[in-house]
Amino acid sequence: MAERKRSVYDIQDHPDNESAAEENQKKLKYPKSVFFIISNEFCERFSYYGIRTVLTLYLVDQLKYGNNTATAIYHGFVMLAYFSPLIGAILADSWLGKFRTIFYLSIIYAAGQILLALTAAPPLGIPPTAFSMLGLVLIAFGTGGIKPCVVAFGGDQFVLPQQIHYLSTFFSVFYFSINFGSLISSFLTPLLRSNVTCFGENSCYSLAFLVPAILMALSIVIFVVGRPLYKIKNPTSNAIVDVSKCISHAIYRKITSSEKRAHWLDHADDQYDSTTISNIRDTLQVMKLFIPIPIFWALYDQQGSRWTIQASRMDGQIGNWLLQPDQMQVLNPLLVLAFIPLFQTCIYPLMEKIGLQTPLKKLTIGGLLTALAFVVSGLVELKLENTYPVLPSEGLAQVRIYNTLNCPINFDLDSTPHELQELQMWANTDIKVIGSKLLPFKADLSKCDPAINYTVPVSLKVEEAKSKSWTFTKNGLREYEDSVKKSTSGNPLLRPLISSDVKMELEVMRDSSLLLNVTVDPNNSTVNGLEELRPNTYDLYLNYTKVKSNLELKLGGVYSIVGYAFGENTKLDVITVTEPNSMHILWLVPQYVIITMGEVMFSVTGLEFAFTQAPTSMKSILQATWQLTVAVGNLIVIIVAEASWFDRQMYEFFMFAGLMFIDIIAFSILARFYTYVRKPEEESVTEEMDMNGKNGIVNESYKDDQK
């Protein structure tokens, strides 16, 4: 009889064997090559999360996509990033090997990032939409393709079983590098986006994309420099391909054969041994529990899309520091690092005392917490709606009339008299109209000194679902279609409405720095457009003379500068057209805390459960399937976003919460019929440690797959 392979359990149960293993380990030095792999992973994760953090706002703010389309593109990017690991695994195990797969796909990855950074620079004139999408496809294919290869390549550097303890340390440091990279980039790239100006804009997305691109290029250099130290294994076969062939063969024989089998997979017994068939059958039993998993990812990954858009409508001012809406995502990796030891040392022991210690029970509770997080986000959205501007809608029109003269004006609109003082605005946001109609209008300018003589129209044309404004100036009544929407970036918007005798310059300055310069031309009948500035306090100058100090522009506000400059008679004032954001961004903290608790209990536990329950030879299949659940979850969000079923975001949040509650009920039913399996003793140390780390505990680096 052939001697049975030594397993992890041999080392655990026999002190002599453990002592021998430790003695052998002392003779082998820690492989220096892994430091290059860990450094490579840090740079790559920094790069990926740096782009992903600011991506939604880039799509909305720069490429001018609507919220639903931007959400769909964001989740399409994430979906591809979690589908392409299947391709990467097949390339590495069947053809190229891990080293060459990582190297080649990293080049594609870096090329996509450089292309995205260049596209975000307007002076280069690269078509932004098409090339941004191309860049995102290259990035998603690159990051997903190397995902299953890097950690396995790191494991290849160790000699097992002699370096079991070294390997466990590697997994811990590897996982730390993942979270540290994502933590720093999630905080830094929003600052590069918002606090740096470039190409005449108030943001600098090209720099926010360029820094991650540089880190990715650096990761390639680091990886290649370590080449002489690596242990490189030649590709053999790919479990995904082999299992697919076995299942396909079994289905074909079942359809074409009249033979009876206890299980449909047994039809493949003419080409595959009973152990392989049994392992695949056990794996399929575990994969049944994966059916409800995509709904979790549909909720979880909205932190970077819907929740970021929600944050952009809130006030992020904390003292003298402004918390950017996309910076809220930094809470997740920060809380993960805090919660994992907290749960291991406190929460899980308490749960064990009340009989909630099994992985499937933890998964159920994690799913309920995730649903609760979206209930909270829906309630926050309900409260946030009170701060939204009143937008023109079907059956209604909006009218605003401004007076930029140094005199009061009496006017009648639709046979109703009104008085409009100097530098004031009159508004009616509730005019009933279908299509369009003319409202009778007349104005009395006799109180102006000297009296202004120009023809005032006898009627004003208002249109359904539009906001129109008219401005009294010295040179006539000017009409334009107004906008009361808040900016997509959350920054305040400013429109100059100034009446003057001569052409002059309006300057918006802060600390002697010119932030905005607008030409005021009395001979130009076109009204100036909205200008975007950062939230801050500014001084206003007309022809280099300060006329207003300490003008505070807040997040989400839409403002009109109304004024006149007639000789030495100069005056400016500011009218708030749309109120700034008033609900503080920290109201989002509870939903982030709850969903991160759900992540630790659901995704971390779920991945560990899958790997400890599956046969060793099938662990890569479970890894690939787990990645696929992330892709399917993001596909669900794409479908919902593009369907646009709801006119209020609150309803969509509650819908996802309801889906998650129903989903977790279905999961708990499946879990009741699941029988836990024990690890077969014939698993070898090498096989065990390649996938699991020490003592059957799931490799920590796999926990990156839920981030």
Side-chain angles (χ1 to χ4, degrees), residues 410-424:
N410 294 309
F411 70 91
D412 286 0
L413 182 65
D414 202 15
S415 303
T416 303
H418 304 280
E419 184 178 34
L420 187 59
Q421 297 297 324
E422 67 173 42
L423 306 188
Q424 294 297 310

Side-chain angles (χ1 to χ4, degrees), residues 58 108-121 124 126-128 130-139 209-210 213:
Y58 173 70
I108 294 174
Y109 188 170
Q113 291 185 306
I114 293 171
L115 178 61
L116 186 63
L118 294 176
T119 302
L124 297 179
I126 300 174
F131 282 90
S132 291
M133 296 304 106
L134 176 59
L136 290 175
V137 169
L138 295 177
I139 293 167
F209 291 145
L210 181 61

Side-chain angles (χ1 to χ4, degrees), residues 242-254 264-265 268:
D242 294 341
V243 170
S244 299
K245 289 180 178 179
C246 180
I247 292 175
S248 299
H249 183 65
I251 294 173
Y252 174 77
R253 287 204 66 204
K254 177 177 173 60
W264 62 270
L265 269 173

Side-chain angles (χ1 to χ4, degrees), residues 6-8 11 160-161 164 683-690:
R6 297 172 62 215
S7 73
V8 171
I11 295 175
L160 300 174
I164 288 176
E683 291 178 346
S684 70
V685 171
T686 301
E687 292 172 327
E688 185 74 27
M689 294 310 303
D690 275 346

Side-chain angles (χ1 to χ4, degrees), residues 48 51 55 59 73-74 76-85 87 105 107-113 115-116 129-145:
Y48 173 70
I51 286 176
L55 178 57
L59 295 170
I73 294 173
Y74 173 89
F77 168 72
V78 177
M79 180 182 71
L80 181 57
Y82 281 92
F83 177 79
S84 54
I87 301 173
L105 293 183
I107 292 175
I108 294 174
Y109 188 170
Q113 291 185 306
L115 178 61
L116 186 63
T129 302
F131 282 90
S132 291
M133 296 304 106
L134 176 59
L136 290 175
V137 169
L138 295 177
I139 293 167
F141 181 71
T143 186

Side-chain angles (χ1 to χ4, degrees), residues 494-530:
L494 190 69
R495 186 195 302 274
L497 299 172
I498 299 173
S499 183
S500 66
D501 289 322
V502 296
K503 187 176 182 179
M504 58 179 54
E505 301 296 321
L506 169 68
E507 297 171 313
V508 181
M509 304 185 69
R510 175 173 172 79
D511 298 332
S512 301
S513 297
L514 179 64
L515 280 305
L516 177 65
N517 181 273
V518 179
T519 300
V520 178
D521 187 353
N523 299 317
N524 187 353
S525 60
T526 303
V527 175
N528 293 103
L530 287 166

Side-chain angles (χ1 to χ4, degrees), residues 191 195 315-324 327 491 535 555:
L191 292 180
N195 289 8
D315 180 12
Q317 198 71 43
I318 303 175
N320 293 326
W321 180 55
L322 180 64
L323 180 63
Q324 299 297 328
Q327 278 184 311
N491 287 330
L555 279 168

Side-chain angles (χ1 to χ4, degrees), residues 409-412 441-446 456-457 472:
I409 298 173
N410 294 309
F411 70 91
D412 286 0
F441 180 74
K442 60 182 179 179
D444 180 8
L445 303 176
S446 60
V456 176
F472 282 103

